[in-house]
PDB file of all heavy atoms in Angstrom:
ATOM      1  N   HIS A 554       0.430 -12.674 -38.570  1.00  0.00           N
ATOM      2  CA  HIS A 554       0.270 -13.673 -39.638  1.00  0.00           C
ATOM      3  C   HIS A 554      -0.696 -13.157 -40.710  1.00  0.00           C
ATOM      4  O   HIS A 554      -0.433 -13.275 -41.917  1.00  0.00           O
ATOM      5  CB  HIS A 554      -0.254 -14.967 -39.004  1.00  0.00           C
ATOM      6  CG  HIS A 554      -0.763 -15.961 -39.991  1.00  0.00           C
ATOM      7  ND1 HIS A 554       0.061 -16.787 -40.719  1.00  0.00           N
ATOM      8  CD2 HIS A 554      -2.027 -16.237 -40.402  1.00  0.00           C
ATOM      9  CE1 HIS A 554      -0.661 -17.537 -41.526  1.00  0.00           C
ATOM     10  NE2 HIS A 554      -1.930 -17.235 -41.347  1.00  0.00           N
ATOM     11  N   LEU A 555      -1.793 -12.547 -40.301  1.00  0.00           N
ATOM     12  CA  LEU A 555      -2.778 -12.046 -41.274  1.00  0.00           C
ATOM     13  C   LEU A 555      -2.186 -10.919 -42.116  1.00  0.00           C
ATOM     14  O   LEU A 555      -2.477 -10.801 -43.307  1.00  0.00           O
ATOM     15  CB  LEU A 555      -4.037 -11.555 -40.538  1.00  0.00           C
ATOM     16  CG  LEU A 555      -4.872 -12.653 -39.873  1.00  0.00           C
ATOM     17  CD1 LEU A 555      -5.970 -12.042 -39.008  1.00  0.00           C
ATOM     18  CD2 LEU A 555      -5.485 -13.582 -40.922  1.00  0.00           C
ATOM     19  N   GLU A 560      -4.630 -11.354 -45.520  1.00  0.00           N
ATOM     20  CA  GLU A 560      -6.050 -11.720 -45.328  1.00  0.00           C
ATOM     21  C   GLU A 560      -6.778 -10.651 -44.526  1.00  0.00           C
ATOM     22  O   GLU A 560      -6.284 -10.164 -43.511  1.00  0.00           O
ATOM     23  CB  GLU A 560      -6.149 -13.059 -44.595  1.00  0.00           C
ATOM     24  CG  GLU A 560      -7.594 -13.474 -44.346  1.00  0.00           C
ATOM     25  CD  GLU A 560      -7.720 -14.839 -43.674  1.00  0.00           C
ATOM     26  OE1 GLU A 560      -6.772 -15.640 -43.743  1.00  0.00           O
ATOM     27  OE2 GLU A 560      -8.797 -15.084 -43.082  1.00  0.00           O
ATOM     28  N   LEU A 562     -10.089  -9.811 -42.251  1.00  0.00           N
ATOM     29  CA  LEU A 562     -11.160 -10.448 -41.484  1.00  0.00           C
ATOM     30  C   LEU A 562     -12.467  -9.715 -41.793  1.00  0.00           C
ATOM     31  O   LEU A 562     -12.451  -8.569 -42.239  1.00  0.00           O
ATOM     32  CB  LEU A 562     -10.848 -10.370 -39.990  1.00  0.00           C
ATOM     33  CG  LEU A 562      -9.670 -11.235 -39.527  1.00  0.00           C
ATOM     34  CD1 LEU A 562      -9.266 -10.857 -38.103  1.00  0.00           C
ATOM     35  CD2 LEU A 562     -10.023 -12.718 -39.608  1.00  0.00           C
ATOM     36  N   PRO A 563     -13.598 -10.375 -41.517  1.00  0.00           N
ATOM     37  CA  PRO A 563     -14.868  -9.717 -41.833  1.00  0.00           C
ATOM     38  C   PRO A 563     -15.313  -8.722 -40.753  1.00  0.00           C
ATOM     39  O   PRO A 563     -16.495  -8.431 -40.637  1.00  0.00           O
ATOM     40  CB  PRO A 563     -15.838 -10.899 -41.951  1.00  0.00           C
ATOM     41  CG  PRO A 563     -15.228 -11.986 -41.164  1.00  0.00           C
ATOM     42  CD  PRO A 563     -13.756 -11.778 -41.151  1.00  0.00           C
ATOM     43  N   PHE A 564     -14.386  -8.226 -39.950  1.00  0.00           N
ATOM     44  CA  PHE A 564     -14.725  -7.248 -38.890  1.00  0.00           C
ATOM     45  C   PHE A 564     -13.445  -6.508 -38.522  1.00  0.00           C
ATOM     46  O   PHE A 564     -12.341  -6.950 -38.845  1.00  0.00           O
ATOM     47  CB  PHE A 564     -15.294  -7.954 -37.650  1.00  0.00           C
ATOM     48  CG  PHE A 564     -14.518  -9.169 -37.239  1.00  0.00           C
ATOM     49  CD1 PHE A 564     -13.288  -9.051 -36.591  1.00  0.00           C
ATOM     50  CD2 PHE A 564     -14.983 -10.457 -37.527  1.00  0.00           C
ATOM     51  CE1 PHE A 564     -12.556 -10.169 -36.241  1.00  0.00           C
ATOM     52  CE2 PHE A 564     -14.239 -11.577 -37.180  1.00  0.00           C
ATOM     53  CZ  PHE A 564     -13.037 -11.430 -36.527  1.00  0.00           C
ATOM     54  N   THR A 851      -8.742 -20.343 -33.216  1.00  0.00           N
ATOM     55  CA  THR A 851      -9.168 -18.937 -33.124  1.00  0.00           C
ATOM     56  C   THR A 851      -9.382 -18.348 -34.514  1.00  0.00           C
ATOM     57  O   THR A 851     -10.394 -17.686 -34.779  1.00  0.00           O
ATOM     58  CB  THR A 851      -8.103 -18.134 -32.348  1.00  0.00           C
ATOM     59  OG1 THR A 851      -8.068 -18.625 -31.012  1.00  0.00           O
ATOM     60  CG2 THR A 851      -8.410 -16.649 -32.340  1.00  0.00           C
ATOM     61  N   LEU A 852      -8.442 -18.623 -35.403  1.00  0.00           N
ATOM     62  CA  LEU A 852      -8.576 -18.084 -36.761  1.00  0.00           C
ATOM     63  C   LEU A 852      -9.817 -18.656 -37.450  1.00  0.00           C
ATOM     64  O   LEU A 852     -10.576 -17.919 -38.100  1.00  0.00           O
ATOM     65  CB  LEU A 852      -7.302 -18.394 -37.560  1.00  0.00           C
ATOM     66  CG  LEU A 852      -7.187 -17.718 -38.916  1.00  0.00           C
ATOM     67  CD1 LEU A 852      -7.380 -16.205 -38.819  1.00  0.00           C
ATOM     68  CD2 LEU A 852      -5.829 -18.028 -39.560  1.00  0.00           C
ATOM     69  N   ALA A 853     -10.046 -19.945 -37.266  1.00  0.00           N
ATOM     70  CA  ALA A 853     -11.240 -20.563 -37.876  1.00  0.00           C
ATOM     71  C   ALA A 853     -12.514 -19.933 -37.307  1.00  0.00           C
ATOM     72  O   ALA A 853     -13.475 -19.657 -38.041  1.00  0.00           O
ATOM     73  CB  ALA A 853     -11.230 -22.069 -37.626  1.00  0.00           C
ATOM     74  N   PHE A 854     -12.499 -19.671 -36.012  1.00  0.00           N
ATOM     75  CA  PHE A 854     -13.674 -19.050 -35.364  1.00  0.00           C
ATOM     76  C   PHE A 854     -13.878 -17.630 -35.883  1.00  0.00           C
ATOM     77  O   PHE A 854     -14.986 -17.233 -36.245  1.00  0.00           O
ATOM     78  CB  PHE A 854     -13.439 -19.044 -33.853  1.00  0.00           C
ATOM     79  CG  PHE A 854     -14.483 -18.320 -33.056  1.00  0.00           C
ATOM     80  CD1 PHE A 854     -15.792 -18.778 -32.984  1.00  0.00           C
ATOM     81  CD2 PHE A 854     -14.156 -17.166 -32.351  1.00  0.00           C
ATOM     82  CE1 PHE A 854     -16.756 -18.112 -32.237  1.00  0.00           C
ATOM     83  CE2 PHE A 854     -15.102 -16.490 -31.605  1.00  0.00           C
ATOM     84  CZ  PHE A 854     -16.408 -16.962 -31.553  1.00  0.00           C
ATOM     85  N   TRP A 855     -12.817 -16.879 -35.960  1.00  0.00           N
ATOM     86  CA  TRP A 855     -12.910 -15.494 -36.437  1.00  0.00           C
ATOM     87  C   TRP A 855     -13.468 -15.440 -37.860  1.00  0.00           C
ATOM     88  O   TRP A 855     -14.286 -14.583 -38.180  1.00  0.00           O
ATOM     89  CB  TRP A 855     -11.538 -14.826 -36.426  1.00  0.00           C
ATOM     90  CG  TRP A 855     -11.047 -14.434 -35.066  1.00  0.00           C
ATOM     91  CD1 TRP A 855     -11.722 -14.523 -33.878  1.00  0.00           C
ATOM     92  CD2 TRP A 855      -9.757 -13.897 -34.753  1.00  0.00           C
ATOM     93  NE1 TRP A 855     -10.937 -14.078 -32.860  1.00  0.00           N
ATOM     94  CE2 TRP A 855      -9.718 -13.684 -33.353  1.00  0.00           C
ATOM     95  CE3 TRP A 855      -8.629 -13.588 -35.509  1.00  0.00           C
ATOM     96  CZ2 TRP A 855      -8.607 -13.167 -32.707  1.00  0.00           C
ATOM     97  CZ3 TRP A 855      -7.511 -13.063 -34.871  1.00  0.00           C
ATOM     98  CH2 TRP A 855      -7.502 -12.857 -33.482  1.00  0.00           C
ATOM     99  N   ARG A 856     -12.970 -16.335 -38.709  1.00  0.00           N
ATOM    100  CA  ARG A 856     -13.383 -16.285 -40.123  1.00  0.00           C
ATOM    101  C   ARG A 856     -14.894 -16.422 -40.254  1.00  0.00           C
ATOM    102  O   ARG A 856     -15.499 -15.864 -41.159  1.00  0.00           O
ATOM    103  CB  ARG A 856     -12.685 -17.387 -40.918  1.00  0.00           C
ATOM    104  CG  ARG A 856     -11.237 -17.045 -41.205  1.00  0.00           C
ATOM    105  CD  ARG A 856     -10.536 -18.174 -41.934  1.00  0.00           C
ATOM    106  NE  ARG A 856      -9.186 -17.797 -42.329  1.00  0.00           N
ATOM    107  CZ  ARG A 856      -8.161 -18.658 -42.386  1.00  0.00           C
ATOM    108  NH1 ARG A 856      -8.331 -19.919 -42.052  1.00  0.00           N
ATOM    109  NH2 ARG A 856      -6.975 -18.226 -42.763  1.00  0.00           N
ATOM    110  N   GLY A 857     -15.504 -17.144 -39.325  1.00  0.00           N
ATOM    111  CA  GLY A 857     -16.959 -17.332 -39.408  1.00  0.00           C
ATOM    112  C   GLY A 857     -17.774 -16.244 -38.728  1.00  0.00           C
ATOM    113  O   GLY A 857     -18.991 -16.198 -38.872  1.00  0.00           O
ATOM    114  N   ARG A 858     -17.134 -15.349 -37.995  1.00  0.00           N
ATOM    115  CA  ARG A 858     -17.886 -14.417 -37.147  1.00  0.00           C
ATOM    116  C   ARG A 858     -18.550 -13.260 -37.889  1.00  0.00           C
ATOM    117  O   ARG A 858     -19.637 -12.852 -37.575  1.00  0.00           O
ATOM    118  CB  ARG A 858     -16.984 -13.828 -36.052  1.00  0.00           C
ATOM    119  CG  ARG A 858     -16.766 -14.686 -34.831  1.00  0.00           C
ATOM    120  CD  ARG A 858     -18.028 -15.060 -34.086  1.00  0.00           C
ATOM    121  NE  ARG A 858     -18.772 -16.117 -34.727  1.00  0.00           N
ATOM    122  CZ  ARG A 858     -20.029 -16.414 -34.474  1.00  0.00           C
ATOM    123  NH1 ARG A 858     -20.703 -15.718 -33.599  1.00  0.00           N
ATOM    124  NH2 ARG A 858     -20.644 -17.386 -35.096  1.00  0.00           N
ATOM    125  N   GLY A 859     -17.879 -12.711 -38.885  1.00  0.00           N
ATOM    126  CA  GLY A 859     -18.402 -11.498 -39.524  1.00  0.00           C
ATOM    127  C   GLY A 859     -19.726 -11.716 -40.199  1.00  0.00           C
ATOM    128  O   GLY A 859     -20.559 -10.810 -40.284  1.00  0.00           O
ATOM    129  N   THR A 860     -19.965 -12.946 -40.654  1.00  0.00           N
ATOM    130  CA  THR A 860     -21.188 -13.220 -41.397  1.00  0.00           C
ATOM    131  C   THR A 860     -22.293 -13.754 -40.490  1.00  0.00           C
ATOM    132  O   THR A 860     -23.408 -13.963 -40.931  1.00  0.00           O
ATOM    133  CB  THR A 860     -20.900 -14.275 -42.474  1.00  0.00           C
ATOM    134  OG1 THR A 860     -20.212 -15.352 -41.841  1.00  0.00           O
ATOM    135  CG2 THR A 860     -20.026 -13.696 -43.583  1.00  0.00           C
TER     136      THR A 860
END
Side-chain angles (χ1 to χ4, degrees):
H554 166 80
L555 291 172
E560 179 177 339
L562 291 168
F564 45 75
T851 295
L852 189 53
F854 174 66
W855 285 355
R856 284 177 174 147
R858 279 301 77 197
T860 49

